[in-house]
Amino acid sequence: MRSLNHRAPATELTSATSKYKRKHPFHKKRQYHHRKKQKSVSKIEKTLTLKPHNPNQNPVSLSNRFQSIQRKKSHNYDSNFEYNRKWTFSCHDSPAYEDRVVFVSYNILGVENASKHPDLYFKIPSEFMEWERRKELICKEMHHYNAGILCFQAVDRFDDLDDLLQKDGFRGVYKARTGDACDGCAVFWKDKLFTLLHEEHIEFQSFGLRNNVAQFCVLKMNENQSGTGLCTEASKTISPKRRSLVVGNIHVLFNPNRGDIKLGQVRIFLEKAYKLSQEWGNIPIIIGGDLNSLPQSAIYQFLTASELEILLHDRRNISGQLECPPQQKDLRSQDENVARSLIYRWSDEELRLATGSEELTRLQHELKLYSAYLGVPGSRGLRDNRGEPLATSYHSKFMGTVDYIWHTKGLIPVRVLETLPINILRRSAGLPNEKWGSDHLALVCELAFANDGTIV
């Protein structure tokens, strides 16, 4: 089945397909020679400790974010994927969860976006920016992870990816941004594992919230299939609704000064995710995306706490992008903010964009969201003080975390793929490089469908 491309009004299902055959504007096409460069660095080796599963234990417990690790002497970080990025496992007894899926969220760096911002990549060798090379690296990476669901952002060569990923058994749908933008979002799923039950999208332009878009797919795990490729007697007894899920994919506006628009986009996205979950029988939700917001930001607080008092935050820094440097300044508690009387002025129009009403100053959503990376304890050398990766994106003007995977009750994180240590990233001039095909790092987790009675 050829993948769908949608240019219809917001939240409307269509079947039009858009072709992108532009050449990369940077350089002439050339033959590539793979350069192997070996560096001796310290490798972080995980230790896995399986604990008896306590159904009343919350895996997102803030008191158990970090897992003990062992360090060994020099290993080659560039020899293969395993040495570059290590899997970290949760304390849950993963064999007890048979129906599992590997989920990926990845901003793949649009060709047109890169061409419009050469200042971000002026230190990167020209061959590393070539799309023909990058697309091969991206698809090779996805094959290595044995993923079942992919959420890509900043996609402007969908047909190229679709052609390559079809060879790996994927089907996909694509939604281009509105206006003059050339990129969009794409969701792919393994055809042998899942069936697409429903697909729709959001054009934020129809709400006065710029040209960004978001996607939703309702996927059902195929009969006699699971994330592990197995079907057990236990999984056969579970209601089919327990093996369906809503997949959300979003790329939030970049502009750091327009926190009102960013909040409005996230608000509408979460409202639609909740509505779809309810319409399909209160099924679990998994969300991937580039939120263009830091972990210490008000937007992150809104997702985790399910509410946000607008007037306690400066519209121009809702995403935390203007704070510097990342990981060194934390968001003050609301009590401290109130005590200091930090009440910011928001115009009626800004409140309307952020909350949907000029009368509202308190933003809320109906979902209880869990970060997949917070749900699996990790190393302090790779995570911030919350448990999120220290860096998911790196170019000449930024190194930090803006990409996330969220899920609701009914899905349990079994393992996550750690990002790269900061010192390893800094040895290069930025991303992409000879190893990675984007200026972002893919976030990867394996999630299990919770059995009846399991509390996430």
Side-chain angles (χ1 to χ4, degrees), residues 30-66:
R30 66 185 69 187
Q31 184 178 5
Y32 304 105
H33 300 279
H34 180 64
R35 300 183 301 170
K36 294 184 178 179
K37 186 178 181 181
Q38 298 203 350
K39 297 181 181 179
S40 180
V41 298
S42 297
K43 182 184 81 171
I44 300 176
E45 184 171 299
K46 65 180 184 309
T47 59
L48 171 61
T49 303
L50 292 179
K51 301 178 182 178
H53 173 55
N54 178 358
N56 296 318
Q57 181 180 0
N58 187 337
V60 194
S61 172
L62 299 182
S63 63
N64 189 30
R65 290 197 190 101
F66 300 105

Coordinates of all heavy atoms in Angstrom, one line a residue, residues 30-66:
R30 N 27.6 13.2 -5.4 CA 29.0 12.6 -5.5 C 29.0 11.2 -5.0 O 28.1 10.8 -4.3 CB 30.0 13.5 -4.7 CG 29.7 13.4 -3.2 CD 30.6 14.4 -2.5 NE 30.3 15.8 -2.8 CZ 31.0 16.8 -2.4 NH1 32.1 16.6 -1.7 NH2 30.6 18.0 -2.7
Q31 N 30.1 10.5 -5.2 CA 30.2 9.2 -4.7 C 30.8 9.3 -3.3 O 31.7 10.1 -3.1 CB 31.2 8.3 -5.6 CG 31.3 6.9 -5.2 CD 32.2 6.1 -6.1 OE1 32.8 6.7 -7.0 NE2 32.3 4.8 -5.9
Y32 N 30.3 8.4 -2.4 CA 30.8 8.5 -1.0 C 31.7 7.4 -0.7 O 31.6 6.3 -1.1 CB 29.5 8.5 -0.1 CG 28.5 9.5 -0.4 CD1 27.4 9.2 -1.1 CD2 28.8 10.8 -0.1 CE1 26.4 10.1 -1.4 CE2 27.8 11.8 -0.4 CZ 26.7 11.4 -1.1 OH 25.8 12.4 -1.4
H33 N 32.7 7.7 0.1 CA 33.6 6.7 0.6 C 33.5 6.7 2.1 O 33.7 7.8 2.8 CB 35.0 7.1 0.2 CG 35.2 7.1 -1.3 ND1 35.4 6.0 -2.1 CD2 35.2 8.1 -2.2 CE1 35.5 6.3 -3.3 NE2 35.4 7.6 -3.4
H34 N 33.1 5.6 2.7 CA 33.0 5.5 4.1 C 34.3 5.6 4.8 O 35.2 4.8 4.5 CB 32.2 4.2 4.5 CG 32.0 4.1 6.0 ND1 31.2 4.9 6.7 CD2 32.5 3.2 6.8 CE1 31.2 4.5 7.9 NE2 32.0 3.5 8.1
R35 N 34.4 6.5 5.7 CA 35.7 6.6 6.5 C 35.5 6.1 7.9 O 34.7 6.5 8.6 CB 36.1 8.1 6.5 CG 36.3 8.7 5.2 CD 36.7 10.1 5.3 NE 35.8 10.9 6.1 CZ 36.0 12.1 6.5 NH1 37.1 12.7 6.3 NH2 35.0 12.8 7.1
K36 N 36.3 5.1 8.2 CA 36.3 4.5 9.5 C 37.4 5.2 10.4 O 38.5 5.3 10.0 CB 36.6 3.0 9.5 CG 35.5 2.3 8.8 CD 35.8 0.8 8.8 CE 34.7 0.0 8.2 NZ 34.9 -1.5 8.2
K37 N 36.9 5.8 11.5 CA 37.8 6.5 12.4 C 37.6 5.9 13.8 O 36.6 6.0 14.4 CB 37.4 8.0 12.3 CG 38.3 8.9 13.1 CD 37.9 10.3 13.0 CE 38.8 11.2 13.7 NZ 38.4 12.6 13.6
Q38 N 38.7 5.4 14.3 CA 38.6 4.7 15.6 C 39.2 5.6 16.6 O 40.3 6.2 16.5 CB 39.4 3.4 15.5 CG 38.8 2.4 14.5 CD 39.2 1.0 14.9 OE1 40.0 0.8 15.8 NE2 38.6 0.1 14.2
K39 N 38.5 5.7 17.7 CA 38.9 6.5 18.9 C 38.7 5.6 20.1 O 37.7 4.9 20.3 CB 38.1 7.8 19.1 CG 38.2 8.7 17.9 CD 37.3 10.0 18.1 CE 37.5 10.9 17.0 NZ 36.6 12.1 17.2
S40 N 39.7 5.7 21.0 CA 39.6 4.9 22.2 C 39.0 5.7 23.3 O 39.5 6.8 23.7 CB 41.0 4.5 22.6 OG 41.0 3.7 23.8
V41 N 37.8 5.3 23.7 CA 37.1 6.1 24.7 C 36.6 5.1 25.7 O 36.5 3.9 25.5 CB 36.0 6.9 24.1 CG1 36.5 7.9 23.1 CG2 35.0 6.0 23.4
S42 N 36.1 5.6 26.8 CA 35.5 4.8 27.9 C 34.1 4.5 27.5 O 33.3 5.3 27.1 CB 35.5 5.6 29.2 OG 36.8 5.8 29.6
K43 N 33.7 3.2 27.6 CA 32.4 2.7 27.4 C 31.7 2.5 28.7 O 32.2 2.0 29.6 CB 32.4 1.4 26.6 CG 31.1 0.9 26.2 CD 31.1 -0.5 25.5 CE 31.3 -1.5 26.5 NZ 31.1 -2.9 25.9
I44 N 30.4 2.9 28.6 CA 29.5 2.7 29.8 C 28.8 1.4 29.6 O 28.1 1.2 28.6 CB 28.6 3.9 30.0 CG1 29.3 5.2 30.2 CG2 27.6 3.6 31.1 CD1 28.4 6.4 30.2
E45 N 29.0 0.5 30.5 CA 28.3 -0.8 30.3 C 27.3 -1.0 31.4 O 27.5 -0.8 32.6 CB 29.4 -2.0 30.5 CG 28.8 -3.3 30.3 CD 29.9 -4.4 30.3 OE1 30.7 -4.3 29.4 OE2 29.9 -5.2 31.1
K46 N 26.1 -1.3 30.9 CA 24.9 -1.4 31.8 C 25.0 -2.7 32.7 O 25.6 -3.7 32.3 CB 23.6 -1.5 31.0 CG 23.5 -2.7 30.1 CD 22.2 -2.7 29.4 CE 22.0 -4.0 28.6 NZ 23.1 -4.4 27.8
T47 N 24.4 -2.6 33.8 CA 24.1 -3.8 34.6 C 22.6 -3.9 34.8 O 22.0 -3.0 35.1 CB 24.8 -3.7 36.0 OG1 24.3 -2.5 36.7 CG2 26.3 -3.5 35.9
L48 N 22.1 -5.1 34.6 CA 20.7 -5.4 34.6 C 20.4 -6.1 35.9 O 20.9 -7.2 36.2 CB 20.3 -6.2 33.4 CG 18.8 -6.7 33.4 CD1 17.9 -5.5 33.5 CD2 18.6 -7.6 32.2
T49 N 19.5 -5.5 36.7 CA 19.1 -6.2 37.9 C 17.6 -6.3 37.9 O 16.8 -5.4 37.9 CB 19.5 -5.3 39.2 OG1 20.9 -5.1 39.2 CG2 19.0 -6.0 40.5
L50 N 17.1 -7.6 37.8 CA 15.7 -7.8 37.7 C 15.2 -7.9 39.1 O 15.6 -8.7 39.9 CB 15.4 -9.1 36.9 CG 15.7 -9.0 35.5 CD1 15.4 -10.4 34.8 CD2 14.9 -7.9 34.8
K51 N 14.2 -7.1 39.5 CA 13.5 -7.1 40.8 C 12.1 -7.7 40.7 O 11.5 -7.6 39.6 CB 13.5 -5.7 41.4 CG 14.8 -5.0 41.5 CD 14.6 -3.6 42.0 CE 16.0 -2.9 42.1 NZ 15.8 -1.5 42.5
P52 N 11.6 -8.3 41.7 CA 10.3 -8.8 41.7 C 9.3 -7.7 41.4 O 9.5 -6.6 42.0 CB 10.1 -9.4 43.1 CG 11.4 -9.7 43.6 CD 12.3 -8.6 43.0
H53 N 8.4 -7.9 40.5 CA 7.5 -6.9 40.1 C 6.4 -6.6 41.2 O 5.7 -7.5 41.6 CB 6.8 -7.2 38.8 CG 5.7 -6.2 38.4 ND1 6.0 -4.9 38.3 CD2 4.4 -6.4 38.2 CE1 4.9 -4.3 38.0 NE2 3.9 -5.2 37.9
N54 N 6.4 -5.3 41.6 CA 5.4 -4.9 42.6 C 4.3 -4.1 41.8 O 4.6 -3.0 41.3 CB 6.0 -4.0 43.6 CG 5.0 -3.5 44.6 OD1 3.8 -3.7 44.5 ND2 5.5 -2.7 45.6
P55 N 3.1 -4.6 41.6 CA 2.1 -3.9 40.8 C 1.7 -2.6 41.3 O 1.1 -1.8 40.6 CB 0.9 -4.9 40.8 CG 1.1 -5.7 42.1 CD 2.6 -5.9 42.2
N56 N 2.0 -2.3 42.6 CA 1.7 -1.0 43.1 C 2.8 0.0 43.0 O 2.7 1.1 43.5 CB 1.3 -1.1 44.6 CG 0.1 -1.9 44.8 OD1 -0.9 -1.8 44.0 ND2 0.0 -2.8 45.7
Q57 N 3.9 -0.4 42.4 CA 5.1 0.5 42.3 C 5.0 1.3 41.0 O 4.7 0.8 40.0 CB 6.4 -0.3 42.2 CG 7.6 0.5 42.1 CD 8.9 -0.3 42.1 OE1 8.8 -1.5 42.1 NE2 10.0 0.3 42.0
N58 N 5.2 2.6 41.1 CA 5.2 3.5 40.0 C 6.6 3.5 39.4 O 7.5 4.0 40.0 CB 4.7 4.9 40.4 CG 4.5 5.8 39.2 OD1 5.1 5.5 38.1 ND2 3.7 6.8 39.4
P59 N 6.7 3.1 38.1 CA 8.1 3.1 37.5 C 8.6 4.5 37.3 O 9.8 4.6 37.0 CB 7.9 2.3 36.2 CG 6.4 2.5 35.9 CD 5.7 2.6 37.2
V60 N 7.8 5.5 37.5 CA 8.3 6.9 37.2 C 8.7 7.5 38.5 O 8.8 8.7 38.6 CB 7.2 7.7 36.5 CG1 7.8 9.0 35.9 CG2 6.6 6.9 35.3
S61 N 8.9 6.7 39.6 CA 9.2 7.2 40.9 C 10.5 8.1 40.8 O 11.5 7.7 40.3 CB 9.5 6.1 41.8 OG 10.0 6.6 43.0
L62 N 10.3 9.3 41.3 CA 11.5 10.3 41.3 C 12.6 9.9 42.1 O 13.7 10.4 42.0 CB 11.0 11.7 41.6 CG 9.9 12.2 40.7 CD1 9.5 13.6 41.2 CD2 10.3 12.2 39.3
S63 N 12.4 9.0 43.1 CA 13.4 8.6 44.0 C 14.3 7.5 43.4 O 15.2 7.0 44.0 CB 12.8 8.1 45.3 OG 12.0 7.0 45.1
N64 N 13.9 7.0 42.2 CA 14.6 5.9 41.7 C 15.0 6.1 40.2 O 14.8 5.2 39.3 CB 13.8 4.6 41.8 CG 14.6 3.3 41.4 OD1 15.8 3.3 41.6 ND2 13.9 2.3 40.9
R65 N 15.4 7.3 39.9 CA 15.7 7.6 38.5 C 17.0 7.0 38.0 O 17.1 6.7 36.8 CB 15.8 9.2 38.3 CG 14.5 9.9 38.5 CD 14.7 11.3 37.9 NE 13.6 12.2 38.2 CZ 13.7 13.1 39.1 NH1 14.7 13.2 39.8 NH2 12.6 13.8 39.4
F66 N 18.0 6.9 38.9 CA 19.3 6.5 38.4 C 19.7 5.1 38.8 O 19.4 4.7 39.9 CB 20.3 7.5 38.9 CG 20.0 8.9 38.4 CD1 19.5 9.9 39.3 CD2 20.3 9.3 37.1 CE1 19.2 11.1 38.9 CE2 20.0 10.5 36.7 CZ 19.4 11.5 37.5

